Amino acid sequence: MAIRTILHYPDKRLRNPGKKITEFTPALRALVDDMAETMYAAPGVGLAATQIGEELQLFIVDVADSDDPSDLRVFINPVFVEKDGTRLYEEGCLSFPGVQEEVERAAHIKVKALDENGKEFEVEAEGLLAVAIQHEYDHLQGVLMIDHMGPLKKRLVHRKMQKRAENAAST
Ligand code: NI
């Protein structure tokens, strides 16, 4: 297992969509292990393969409270079966360090996906799990939380992240 480098906005690679996964190999399971280690180390509640430069339809989430046992879920080639209601939720993203902004999401979702062994499952979710799944699903399409913001917030966040990247490059 290894901790991978998480790409930060405005890295253009975050805009590349993930390709469908068709082979369920030991290499894929090793990638899932790396992603879990990377997410827990960050720490975060979700991580998409596209955030570490792997252009695949794969994300993981774990929204368990820190006192509870971990609840790692792997989603491969996910599709929404149902989406209804709306709710605002203050989100963060490992690709936007220091940014917390309200994003509107569906309140209730049903999603179909494969696990790391290629087995199909369906999950219904509300609350933080539903938010995390929709956020990570977006990453697989090259869509980022900034795309859900109004023009003013978008400009502010873009500038903040641009400055952060310039500072990181000059040190
Ligand atoms: Ni994110």
Side-chain angles (χ1 to χ4, degrees), residues 46 51 92-95 135-136 139:
Q51 286 179 278
C93 177
L94 295 177
S95 295
H135 178 114
E136 298 311 326
H139 275 298

Side-chain angles (χ1 to χ4, degrees), residues 23-138:
E23 286 181 76
F24 297 83
T25 60
L28 176 67
R29 285 183 284 274
L31 172 60
V32 171
D33 287 346
D34 281 359
M35 284 174 62
E37 197 179 356
T38 304
M39 178 181 75
Y40 290 130
V45 299
L47 183 71
T50 51
Q51 286 179 278
I52 56 164
E54 299 280 354
E55 289 162 20
L56 297 168
Q57 292 277 322
L58 157 66
F59 68 75
I60 57 172
V61 295
D62 185 344
V63 298
D65 276 335
S66 48
D67 314 337
D68 292 338
S70 65
D71 181 23
L72 184 70
R73 296 163 189 248
V74 179
F75 293 79
I76 292 171
N77 305 341
V79 283
F80 288 107
V81 182
E82 275 176 41
K83 250 186 176 181
D84 46 74
T86 56
R87 66 167 295 175
L88 280 175
Y89 200 93
E90 194 170 82
E91 295 184 17
C93 177
L94 295 177
S95 295
F96 288 79
V99 175
Q100 290 275 335
E101 291 292 342
E102 273 192 337
V103 175
E104 189 180 290
R105 301 283 183 187
H108 165 260
I109 59 161
K110 198 190 266 185
V111 62
K112 203 165 73 179
L114 305 174
D115 68 14
E116 68 271 39
N117 300 308
K119 191 166 171 277
E120 190 176 285
F121 67 94
E122 210 173 79
V123 62
E124 227 176 315
E126 291 177 346
L128 180 58
L129 180 60
V131 170
I133 289 171
Q134 291 172 83
H135 178 114
E136 298 311 326
Y137 176 88
D138 269 1

